[in-house]
Amino acid sequence: MQSAIIQFPGLNRDHEMSLALQHITGRIPYRIWPTETVIPNVDVIVIPGGFSYGDYLRCGAIAARQPVMRVVHEKAQNGVMVLGICNGFQILLEAGLLEGVLLSNASLKFVCREVKLEVLNTDTAFSCNYRKRQIIRCPVAHHNGNYFAEAETLKRLEKNGQVIFRYAQGYNPNGSVHDIAGIVNAKRNVLGMMPHPENFMEEAHGGTDGRALFTSVLRYARKELFI
């Protein structure tokens, strides 16, 4: 499986993401810059977390309008998996690859801590190695992670099984509507989520619950699973 990381200025979780992908695939991801208009043939494109362009205007707004995102759109339309974590999720929303918006945390404070997530749908390329209703641990670190969408959009996302991860066990770190922590598009090949699975890959990190997301992607890329 070959992967690519989109390297916007200000993103600071690219190193952890690169190590996670290497750990699972055995291959170094391509690094793609925002002005590039070509992305090599890959199985998955990842936009990691951080503070692209200093979070000026709105988080992810400037990054979403860079030339490379037109290519990401085309790749996604052709079935390539796209994963956005934290600021990457914000960028995917700003670029229109996912529905909804991310507002400031309800507390108006930056939240950096471990949370619990419930896996709601295992019928996707990103979650097939989890169990349905499984509770997993994952870190969060963000100021603008409060997911919101209009009632009709939320109804459709829930009905179509597009809500993949939900904050669990009574703690929602940011006030997200319906406790939403991660969603996919209608084709289920684009995932955006606020928590950082790349930070829970090995026991030395304090847990391995993030690993199954990456092994799910590998399983799908190897065509061991058809969604």
Side-chain angles (χ1 to χ4, degrees), residues 207-219:
T208 60
D209 285 354
R211 184 183 178 89
L213 186 144
F214 295 93
T215 58
S216 295
V217 170
L218 178 63
R219 182 181 171 193

Side-chain angles (χ1 to χ4, degrees), residues 20 41 47 80 104-105 110 142 155 165 168-169 175 177 190 207 224:
N41 289 330
I47 308 177
V80 174
S104 296
N105 295 346
F110 189 90
H142 57 256
K155 183 178 178 180
F165 299 109
Q169 297 188 348
V177 64
V190 179
E224 297 173 4

Side-chain angles (χ1 to χ4, degrees), residues 101-121:
V101 296
L102 285 164
L103 308 174
S104 296
N105 295 346
S107 66
L108 300 182
K109 296 179 180 179
F110 189 90
V111 176
C112 183
R113 58 167 292 169
E114 180 185 300
V115 298
K116 300 287 182 64
L117 304 177
E118 181 181 8
V119 182
L120 299 177
N121 185 352

